[in-house]
Amino acid sequence: MDYASLIRCTVGLAVSLAIALGVGTSAEAGAAPTDTLLTVTRAEVRAFLFDERDEEALPEDLFEQLETWLDDPLDLNRASAHALAVLPWLRPAQAEAIVRARTTDGPFDSVAAAFDAADIPPQDRAYLRAFLHVRPPSTTGTPAPWRVMLMQQATRRLDLGRGYDRTREGTTYLGSPVRMMTRLQVGQRGRWQGRLTLNKHAGEPFAWDPALRFFGYTHMAGHVAWQPRHGRTTIIAGDYQVALGQGLLLWRGLALGKGTAAVDGPARSSRGLAPYQGTDPNGHFRGLAGTMTVGPATLTAFASHTRRDAALDTLTIANGEASVVLSSLPTTGRYRTPLERERRASTTLQTAGGAVEMGRPGRHVGLAGYVARFGHPVAASDALHQRGAFSGQQAHGLSLYGHYSLGDIAAGAEVMRPHAGTMGGAVWLRTAVGRLAEVLWHGRVLPVGNSLFGNPIAEQSSRARGERGFYLGLHLRPHPTWTLAGYADVFTMTWPRFRTDRPSTGLDVRARLTHQPRSWLRVYVQGRSRQREQNGAALHHDTRPLRPISRHEIRLHAQYAHSPVLRFATQVDQVWTTRDGTSGRGFLLSQDVRWHIHAALRLDARLAFFDADPFDARVYAYEHDLRYSFSVPAFSGQGQRRYLMATWAPTAALDFQMKLAETHMPMETTMGSGLDEVEGNRLRDVRLQLRWRPFR
Amino acid sequence: MHPSGHIALWCALLLLLASVWTVPRPAHAQVSLQAGPRLMALGGGGTAVAGDLWGGSNPAAWAGLASRQLGFFAGQAFELSELRLGAVRVAQPLPWLTAVVGAQTFGFEQFREHQFPVGVAREVTLGTTRTLAVGAEARYTHVSIPGYGNDGAVGLTLGAQVQVLRTVRAGVQAVHLNAPTLGGGDELPRLLQVGLAYQPQEAFLLVLDAVKDVLFPVSYRGGVEVQPVESLTLRGGIATQPTRFTAGLGIHVGRLTADVAAERHDVLGWSPAVGLLLR
């Protein structure tokens, strides 16, 4: 007899009986007797935006911004058109319509009234509600409320990899397996804010060593920003991001890109400056930045001095002198091993730039540029796919962009000239047929020599260089309960890529059909097909012909809100892959439950079984996580994933979250790889977070 | 016995022993016997079917039982007497819940598996007018193999069913959620099943299930049940991994229902079963 399983069974049965007999009865007694709407939760907003972001760099910037909006929804009676227009699902023309209606008809008394004024479709309203609220008009003249928040997070893997084995010879991690993150925030809503984030990843040392720039935590980011929401004026001291035009030249921060928002993601419009307080040490500027409006012109200027992680090499040049150059710029942001620590903040990057925009949100043209200088020259790489990339010590870029919307038609464009001298550009046109359909055309020509700070729409935004592409997006609402959204992206890589030694072509197609027959039931089926080319097996004379690689996915997702206190979500994912003649299959079946046991206590649980082989056929599955954290793990092999997360908010000012998760692969003897390789077939981790908001 | 019968017997025994002793997989996991006589004929799915005493192992199905029920079930995998299964189960609706107890035996003298399920189910509303059926089952499984030894373990199964639309019911169950193990640390089968039942009329039922064993590829199962006359029900189904076809019928006479079901496996042949239900 296995007593551990017997104990688990007994506990489980006791809990089940309690559910069946006691709690169910009490919930019945105290709950509303009628059906309720399947409103979009914060978790669903996150899932919608982060879903399918595999192979991309982790969108921490996007997540940071999203959490900020969710925590501090915009007040429709005070926010400027520019502030509203940067929200996902809200276009510049709609933002202008909201502000215009507010000016002519007075403050809104509900979010729905503002939506009506801007004629926002019902499907978009469901998601937008999470970002917006309406403060009573009577409070318009009162002092701006204070916001203070302190948050502490600690996470730890229970099954440790060999990197934590101090008795082992060779490289090990320098620090403990605990990840620590502290966030501080203070400010007055709609006026100014000060934020600070302190972070230490698992394996990094928590040490005080000013010589190595270790001050306890390994990463610090923060700012003081004055950012009234009535206009565009912004002044930031500290860490910030800049996003202008279509992102060809300067775009750090929120970037939806290709995804489930098929006609909104690629239709970009300048966001301008945004304060930054995230955990990515390489994704932001640090210094002073400001935006101000002078008549019809909006001026933005910024100056930054940051330290960057770098691998330095010493070269001996012709006259015998030694020269230190940058051989690579790691972007992992991890400092767990001696080598990673050595590369930490080992060079500098000074940047200055600015932009002039004429017009208003939805109708403007702009000119932007920057000059950047590294502390050491960047060495040219011999790798074929790296040729044409930036080398040298100083870079610059210039771009001209514009955005125009009139009624149901909107367009945007940007032309950019980076340091290497080759021009690049992107243009999009979006048109609507009432509420029935929206169509987006997007074209791009990206130069081989890309901008240091660009992040344009591309096959993969993080590797956007030497590429031509055409994107067609469609959003169709044939019936109030049916929605079809999808896109087709055809692209040509005009320059070799990693593992692709010659120009190549590819295709990315995605469609999602959503049906909501009742207010409590939503179902969607989604298909995605991606094809591109990569080096095949070597033939004679070491020639490597390109071979197509493909990945086809289909997903069925059903969500059912039984009541305000109980929700279920079921998802089935099936993946088929082909690479160099070898095919693979992946499958995942997951069942989620969200249960508000009490007004102050919520449980989120998932049980998922997966089966994917080979690794190419891995299945990605977004899962709930602590606030300010997100998780889209990839599953390959054969096994089970389960987690339980509890959110307890004893008071309005205090909440506590705990997540216990386990991945179990019965047929494996080791899990993970490298220094994170674990003996055994289970990976378990625990995550804790405490948040205190005395002033919200 | 015909030579082909011997080959089939040894194939089945090898399959049984390999699956049971390397990684315990009772042979009836490969066929639909476990689902009971009604759901076996529907392809072995039926996670969302309410009011079934055998419940396709979804304990939430018991919440829909309106009266006391006593059921007997006998089946034989691949026509082999060594792979016989016999079961009895009784359900008693109580004021707050429905309680179910049962017993089951499978195998022959060289491999004997006994199971003793105990479970409860009830309907809750949790703040709405719609009802949610939830159920839990604890099942003691004891395996005995002369010469190797014997061992037992208790497994926990949780299930839920809900009427999402007037004609559509959805169900989910997690079998052996607590990962029970037998000797050597080998686990009993862990399953996650989701299913839909579409019933536009009382005389027509369509079921579709996805069943994932943690160690095997997903199996899709579907079946149709029609009731041309009040006393007769006809059933048919299909399942994948492995591919199987099923058929069956039910005869209703007063408080008595007799069910017959059979499953056809391409290589291993027929698995017949009969059941008797007294309300």
Side-chain angles (χ1 to χ4, degrees), chain A residues 253-276:
Chain A
L254 180 70
L256 290 182
K258 297 191 298 183
T260 39
V263 297
D264 287 317
R268 288 181 176 173
S269 183
S270 289
R271 293 182 55 237
L273 295 174
Y276 182 74

Side-chain angles (χ1 to χ4, degrees), chain A residues 46-66:
Chain A
R46 294 188 193 101
F48 185 89
L49 291 176
F50 296 106
D51 189 27
E52 299 294 328
R53 291 200 150 248
D54 47 325
E55 297 185 17
E56 292 272 0
L58 292 179
E60 291 195 17
D61 295 341
L62 174 55
F63 199 76
E64 285 286 336
Q65 184 61 68
L66 188 68

Side-chain angles (χ1 to χ4, degrees), chain A residues 1 5 8 20 28 33 563, chain B residues 122 125-126 129-130 151 178:
Chain A
M1 171 71 79
S5 65
R8 287 196 294 267
E28 287 169 36
S563 73
Chain B
R122 69 161 297 186
T125 52
L126 287 169
T129 53
R130 298 186 298 277
D151 197 7
N178 59 322

Side-chain angles (χ1 to χ4, degrees), chain B residues 188-234:
Chain B
L188 291 173
R190 257 189 292 164
L191 307 175
L192 179 61
Q193 295 183 216
V194 297
L196 290 175
Y198 172 61
Q199 191 164 23
Q201 299 175 26
E202 198 172 332
F204 179 87
L205 175 68
L206 175 70
V207 299
L208 183 64
D209 281 62
V211 181
K212 180 71 179 82
D213 184 310
V214 72
L215 293 178
F216 288 93
V218 62
S219 169
Y220 293 104
R221 302 171 184 182
V224 179
E225 179 182 86
V226 292
Q227 193 170 11
V229 293
E230 195 175 338
S231 58
L232 178 66
T233 304
L234 302 175

Side-chain angles (χ1 to χ4, degrees), chain A residues 109-184:
Chain A
D109 56 5
S110 69
V111 174
F115 288 167
D116 289 341
D119 195 26
I120 295 169
Q123 292 92 337
D124 291 348
R125 295 182 183 203
Y127 287 95
L128 268 172
R129 279 179 194 279
F131 301 112
L132 297 167
H133 77 144
V134 168
R135 282 176 65 204
S138 59
T139 64
T140 303
T142 58
W146 280 83
R147 285 173 55 85
V148 176
M149 185 192 81
L150 170 63
M151 195 197 79
Q152 180 63 48
Q153 182 186 105
T155 65
R156 187 188 193 279
R157 180 165 282 179
L158 300 179
D159 306 288
L160 299 181
R162 54 194 176 90
Y164 295 101
D165 182 0
R166 304 282 184 245
T167 64
R168 180 177 161 273
E169 288 190 6
T171 302
T172 56
Y173 291 141
L174 297 168
S176 78
V178 178
R179 181 187 180 179
M180 300 274 286
M181 183 166 67
T182 302
R183 287 178 183 269
L184 301 165

Side-chain angles (χ1 to χ4, degrees), chain B residues 52-138:
Chain B
D52 188 85
L53 175 65
W54 302 97
S57 78
N58 187 351
W62 302 327
L65 295 175
S67 61
R68 180 189 302 166
Q69 293 194 2
L70 173 64
F72 300 94
F73 176 59
Q76 182 168 297
F78 317 126
E79 300 181 83
L80 298 174
S81 60
E82 289 79 3
L83 302 181
R84 277 185 185 152
L85 182 145
V88 59
R89 191 172 290 187
V90 62
Q92 175 63 54
L94 299 170
W96 287 98
L97 48 74
T98 300
V100 173
V101 295
Q104 177 176 307
T105 181
F106 172 80
F108 65 121
E109 63 273 12
Q110 294 301 311
F111 174 88
R112 179 61 62 187
E113 177 192 273
H114 296 291
Q115 292 191 356
F116 301 97
V118 179
V120 292
R122 69 161 297 186
E123 288 185 335
V124 296
T125 52
L126 287 169
T128 183
T129 53
R130 298 186 298 277
T131 56
L132 169 73
V134 293
E137 179 201 80

Side-chain angles (χ1 to χ4, degrees), chain A residues 273-286:
Chain A
L273 295 174
Y276 182 74
Q277 65 283 339
T279 57
D280 178 4
N282 299 309
H284 58 86
F285 296 106
R286 176 168 289 175

